[in-house]
Structures are given as structure tokens and as C-alpha cells.
Amino acid sequence: MKKFSVRNGAPYIETDLDAASLASKLKKWAPWRHQIIFSNGVATGQFDRGPFWTEQPLFKIERFERQIDLGRLKGGRALDIGCNIGYNSLYLGNKYGMTVTGVEMDHRLLEVASFLKELSGVEGVDFVQGDANFFCQANTFDLSLHLGTLYHLRHPVLSLENCWNSLRDDGSLFLETQAFEDEDPLVCKCMLGTTPDPTNWWALGQGAIMSLMDRIGFRNMRLVDKIRPSSIGPKMSRLLFIAEK
Ligand SMILES: C[S@@+](CC[C@H](N)C(=O)[O-])C[C@H]1O[C@@H](n2cnc3c(N)ncnc32)[C@H](O)[C@@H]1O
């Protein structure tokens, strides 16, 4: 029986664990940033919540899914750069039988990701500790997710180059990142010191992102969605791109 499904944009995991012991385990990993719902009535939202709490961690992958038929990648390989606690990796592994490598730097997040993987019984998903600036596994993946991570990186261009190199020919990139909406679309704004988050490095203009992707070698680039969350300030947006190698 499948133990992983989706409820209103959040992962839903069937479990036989009793609620009290699951709750005491999850409490130790608080603060939580993402809603995960369990069949025994426990949900991560009942514990301390960190900043940028999201009720629907799967909303980005679902938006991309509306644009492209992922069914054609069934059984293929996916890379999830900056995978956090692994919900997108588990989603791809569960729904499309993909073999997924989730790359994350933060040890605590990897620990949670492994726990959720074990609980949900999704096979073929691996979480590895790695640096998204430098991670590269040449000509390996049919799909690369680069969601919400590019602007946290010291070397965003290098990361995109490594992503391109890691894709097989015709492989697809799903890129989602924050952007700065200036009259000059080529603007590259340094965000250091402007927010409490010391890992918030960049807000690039849409034109700058597309020029960089073009120079790296991505083709058929298209902006497929734009989100303007009030939480990220004026002239800021989140852009969703699809491109191919
Ligand atoms: C905003 S979260 C995005 C999570 C998920 N990809 C999503 O879109 O919902 C950014 C993630 O990238 C990770 N990250 C930041 N810098 C990294 C680096 N240099 N190498 C690997 N992961 C990194 C963070 O720990 C965090 O889990």
C-alpha cells in the first residue's frame, strides 16, 4: 500500500506509529518550516514554526507539473538541489517511480528527510550531504529541480553550470528563484545585509537569469509562472522557469 500522498499541497504520510511517540520525535526537530501531515493525527504545524512557514510545501512542484508531462520521465532519474527535508524528492519517487538524489547541506534537514523517507516507504530516493554550488554528476539526470535555492548560493552561475552538466541531453531543469523587478531586467542585486537571513545573497532580474542560462547552454527557456508573496518585499517576485539541456 502507498504510504505517501498529498493533502492540499502538503505531504500526507500513512503511519502505524502512535501519535505520542511520533510527536515527541518531531518536537525535537522543531522549529518546522513545512507542513507534513500524518495519518495518526499529528502534523508538523502543531510544533514551533520557523519563519517562512508554508502550509503547502508541494505547491511549486505542482505548478511545474501543470506545464510539462512528467509521466514521460517515469522511471527516470531526478536531482533535487537544496532538497530541504525531501518532500519534492519523495513526491517524484512516489508518483513517477523516479530514482532521486536529494542534495542538501544541512545535516539536521537530511536527518528529517531520511526519517520521512523511511516512514513513507518510498523507494529509490537518496539524500546526500553536498554543496549546491559544486555538486555535479555528469550526464546523469533526466530532471533537475533547483527550487528556492539559487539565491542562497555564493556561486549561482557555477551551480547552474553544474546542473547543466549533471543533466543528460534533453534533460529538463525546473528553476524557481527570487528575482528583483527593476526597469533594467539585467539587474543583479546583492541582498547581503538587507534581510535577517545571512544566506540571502542575490535577487537577479529576469533578463539576467535568462541570459546566464542561455550562456551556460540551456535551451528552450521559458518563464512559466510568477509569484509575488507579500512576505518578500516590494519589487521582489519568485520566478519559475523550465529549460532543457
Ligand atoms: C528555501 S529552501 C528550498 C527548499 C526546497 N527546494 C523548496 O523549494 O521547497 C533552500 C534550501 O537550500 C539549502 N541550501 C542552501 N545553501 C546550500 C548549499 N550551498 N548546498 C546545499 N544546500 C543548500 C538550504 O538548507 C535549504 O534547505
Short mmCIF file of all heavy atoms in Angstrom, two decimals, residues 109-136:
data_model
loop_
_atom_site.label_atom_id
_atom_site.label_comp_id
_atom_site.label_asym_id
_atom_site.label_seq_id
_atom_site.Cartn_x
_atom_site.Cartn_y
_atom_site.Cartn_z
N LEU A 109 18.42 18.77 8.45
CA LEU A 109 17.39 18.59 7.43
C LEU A 109 17.50 17.21 6.77
O LEU A 109 16.49 16.57 6.48
CB LEU A 109 17.49 19.70 6.37
CG LEU A 109 17.27 21.13 6.89
CD1 LEU A 109 17.52 22.16 5.80
CD2 LEU A 109 15.86 21.28 7.46
N LEU A 110 18.74 16.76 6.57
CA LEU A 110 18.95 15.44 5.98
C LEU A 110 18.44 14.34 6.89
O LEU A 110 17.90 13.32 6.44
CB LEU A 110 20.45 15.22 5.69
CG LEU A 110 20.97 15.97 4.46
CD1 LEU A 110 22.50 15.94 4.45
CD2 LEU A 110 20.43 15.36 3.18
N GLU A 111 18.61 14.55 8.18
CA GLU A 111 18.13 13.56 9.16
C GLU A 111 16.60 13.45 9.07
O GLU A 111 16.05 12.35 9.05
CB GLU A 111 18.55 14.05 10.55
CG GLU A 111 18.56 13.01 11.62
CD GLU A 111 19.05 13.66 12.91
OE1 GLU A 111 20.24 13.96 12.99
OE2 GLU A 111 18.22 13.86 13.82
N VAL A 112 15.94 14.61 8.98
CA VAL A 112 14.48 14.60 8.86
C VAL A 112 14.07 13.93 7.55
O VAL A 112 13.14 13.11 7.50
CB VAL A 112 13.90 16.03 8.93
CG1 VAL A 112 12.39 16.00 8.79
CG2 VAL A 112 14.30 16.71 10.22
N ALA A 113 14.77 14.29 6.46
CA ALA A 113 14.44 13.73 5.15
C ALA A 113 14.53 12.20 5.19
O ALA A 113 13.64 11.50 4.67
CB ALA A 113 15.38 14.29 4.08
N SER A 114 15.56 11.67 5.81
CA SER A 114 15.73 10.22 5.88
C SER A 114 14.62 9.59 6.71
O SER A 114 14.11 8.51 6.38
CB SER A 114 17.07 9.85 6.51
OG SER A 114 18.08 10.34 5.69
N PHE A 115 14.22 10.27 7.78
CA PHE A 115 13.13 9.76 8.61
C PHE A 115 11.83 9.70 7.80
O PHE A 115 11.10 8.69 7.83
CB PHE A 115 12.96 10.65 9.85
CG PHE A 115 11.78 10.30 10.69
CD1 PHE A 115 11.77 9.13 11.45
CD2 PHE A 115 10.65 11.11 10.70
CE1 PHE A 115 10.66 8.80 12.21
CE2 PHE A 115 9.54 10.78 11.47
CZ PHE A 115 9.54 9.62 12.22
N LEU A 116 11.54 10.76 7.06
CA LEU A 116 10.29 10.80 6.27
C LEU A 116 10.32 9.74 5.16
O LEU A 116 9.31 9.14 4.84
CB LEU A 116 10.08 12.20 5.67
CG LEU A 116 9.88 13.34 6.68
CD1 LEU A 116 9.74 14.67 5.95
CD2 LEU A 116 8.66 13.08 7.56
N LYS A 117 11.51 9.55 4.61
CA LYS A 117 11.65 8.52 3.56
C LYS A 117 11.34 7.14 4.13
O LYS A 117 10.59 6.35 3.56
CB LYS A 117 13.07 8.56 3.00
CG LYS A 117 13.39 7.46 2.03
CD LYS A 117 14.85 7.45 1.69
CE LYS A 117 15.32 6.03 1.48
NZ LYS A 117 16.71 5.93 1.08
N GLU A 118 11.93 6.88 5.28
CA GLU A 118 11.74 5.58 5.92
C GLU A 118 10.26 5.36 6.25
O GLU A 118 9.69 4.30 5.98
CB GLU A 118 12.57 5.56 7.20
CG GLU A 118 12.88 4.18 7.75
CD GLU A 118 13.68 4.33 9.02
OE1 GLU A 118 14.71 5.05 9.00
OE2 GLU A 118 13.25 3.78 10.03
N LEU A 119 9.65 6.40 6.80
CA LEU A 119 8.25 6.29 7.21
C LEU A 119 7.34 6.09 6.00
O LEU A 119 6.39 5.30 6.05
CB LEU A 119 7.87 7.60 7.92
CG LEU A 119 6.86 7.53 9.04
CD1 LEU A 119 7.34 6.61 10.14
CD2 LEU A 119 6.62 8.93 9.61
N SER A 120 7.64 6.79 4.91
CA SER A 120 6.73 6.74 3.76
C SER A 120 7.02 5.55 2.85
O SER A 120 6.22 5.26 1.95
CB SER A 120 6.83 8.04 2.96
OG SER A 120 8.13 8.21 2.49
N GLY A 121 8.14 4.88 3.05
CA GLY A 121 8.45 3.68 2.27
C GLY A 121 8.68 3.95 0.79
O GLY A 121 8.60 3.02 -0.02
N VAL A 122 8.95 5.18 0.43
CA VAL A 122 9.21 5.48 -0.99
C VAL A 122 10.61 4.96 -1.34
O VAL A 122 11.58 5.29 -0.66
CB VAL A 122 9.12 7.00 -1.28
CG1 VAL A 122 9.44 7.28 -2.75
CG2 VAL A 122 7.74 7.52 -0.93
N GLU A 123 10.66 4.17 -2.39
CA GLU A 123 11.96 3.59 -2.76
C GLU A 123 12.66 4.42 -3.83
O GLU A 123 12.03 5.19 -4.54
CB GLU A 123 11.74 2.16 -3.27
CG GLU A 123 11.38 1.25 -2.12
CD GLU A 123 11.05 -0.17 -2.56
OE1 GLU A 123 11.17 -0.45 -3.76
OE2 GLU A 123 10.67 -0.95 -1.67
N GLY A 124 13.98 4.22 -3.90
CA GLY A 124 14.75 4.86 -4.98
C GLY A 124 15.10 6.31 -4.72
O GLY A 124 15.50 7.02 -5.63
N VAL A 125 14.92 6.76 -3.48
CA VAL A 125 15.26 8.16 -3.16
C VAL A 125 16.45 8.15 -2.20
O VAL A 125 16.42 7.46 -1.18
CB VAL A 125 14.06 8.89 -2.52
CG1 VAL A 125 14.46 10.31 -2.11
CG2 VAL A 125 12.89 8.94 -3.49
N ASP A 126 17.46 8.93 -2.54
CA ASP A 126 18.66 9.02 -1.69
C ASP A 126 18.89 10.47 -1.32
O ASP A 126 18.80 11.35 -2.17
CB ASP A 126 19.90 8.56 -2.49
CG ASP A 126 20.23 7.14 -2.17
OD1 ASP A 126 19.97 6.71 -1.03
OD2 ASP A 126 20.73 6.46 -3.08
N PHE A 127 19.24 10.69 -0.07
CA PHE A 127 19.56 12.05 0.36
C PHE A 127 21.05 12.09 0.68
O PHE A 127 21.54 11.27 1.45
CB PHE A 127 18.73 12.45 1.57
CG PHE A 127 17.25 12.51 1.24
CD1 PHE A 127 16.36 11.59 1.78
CD2 PHE A 127 16.77 13.48 0.38
CE1 PHE A 127 15.01 11.64 1.47
CE2 PHE A 127 15.42 13.54 0.06
CZ PHE A 127 14.54 12.62 0.60
N VAL A 128 21.75 13.04 0.08
CA VAL A 128 23.20 13.12 0.31
C VAL A 128 23.57 14.52 0.77
O VAL A 128 22.96 15.51 0.37
CB VAL A 128 24.01 12.77 -0.96
CG1 VAL A 128 23.74 11.35 -1.42
CG2 VAL A 128 23.73 13.73 -2.10
N GLN A 129 24.59 14.57 1.61
CA GLN A 129 25.09 15.86 2.05
C GLN A 129 26.01 16.39 0.95
O GLN A 129 26.93 15.70 0.51
CB GLN A 129 25.86 15.71 3.36
CG GLN A 129 26.19 17.05 3.98
CD GLN A 129 26.41 16.94 5.48
OE1 GLN A 129 26.79 15.89 5.98
NE2 GLN A 129 26.18 18.03 6.19
N GLY A 130 25.74 17.58 0.49
CA GLY A 130 26.57 18.14 -0.57
C GLY A 130 26.33 19.63 -0.68
O GLY A 130 25.37 20.17 -0.13
N ASP A 131 27.22 20.30 -1.39
CA ASP A 131 27.13 21.74 -1.56
C ASP A 131 26.55 22.04 -2.95
O ASP A 131 27.12 21.65 -3.96
CB ASP A 131 28.54 22.34 -1.42
CG ASP A 131 28.50 23.87 -1.39
OD1 ASP A 131 27.58 24.46 -1.99
OD2 ASP A 131 29.40 24.46 -0.77
N ALA A 132 25.42 22.73 -2.95
CA ALA A 132 24.72 23.02 -4.21
C ALA A 132 25.55 23.88 -5.16
O ALA A 132 25.28 23.93 -6.35
CB ALA A 132 23.41 23.72 -3.90
N ASN A 133 26.55 24.59 -4.65
CA ASN A 133 27.43 25.35 -5.54
C ASN A 133 28.23 24.41 -6.44
O ASN A 133 28.49 24.70 -7.60
CB ASN A 133 28.44 26.17 -4.73
CG ASN A 133 27.80 27.32 -3.98
OD1 ASN A 133 27.44 28.33 -4.59
ND2 ASN A 133 27.63 27.17 -2.67
N PHE A 134 28.65 23.28 -5.84
CA PHE A 134 29.65 22.44 -6.50
C PHE A 134 29.16 21.07 -6.93
O PHE A 134 29.86 20.36 -7.64
CB PHE A 134 30.87 22.26 -5.56
CG PHE A 134 31.42 23.56 -5.08
CD1 PHE A 134 31.32 23.94 -3.75
CD2 PHE A 134 32.01 24.45 -5.97
CE1 PHE A 134 31.82 25.16 -3.30
CE2 PHE A 134 32.51 25.68 -5.53
CZ PHE A 134 32.41 26.04 -4.20
N PHE A 135 27.97 20.65 -6.47
CA PHE A 135 27.52 19.28 -6.77
C PHE A 135 27.39 19.08 -8.28
O PHE A 135 26.74 19.85 -8.97
CB PHE A 135 26.17 18.98 -6.10
CG PHE A 135 25.73 17.57 -6.35
CD1 PHE A 135 26.11 16.55 -5.48
CD2 PHE A 135 24.97 17.25 -7.47
CE1 PHE A 135 25.73 15.23 -5.73
CE2 PHE A 135 24.59 15.94 -7.72
CZ PHE A 135 24.96 14.93 -6.84
N CYS A 136 28.01 18.01 -8.76
CA CYS A 136 27.92 17.68 -10.18
C CYS A 136 28.10 16.18 -10.37
O CYS A 136 29.00 15.58 -9.78
CB CYS A 136 29.02 18.43 -10.97
SG CYS A 136 28.83 18.21 -12.75
#
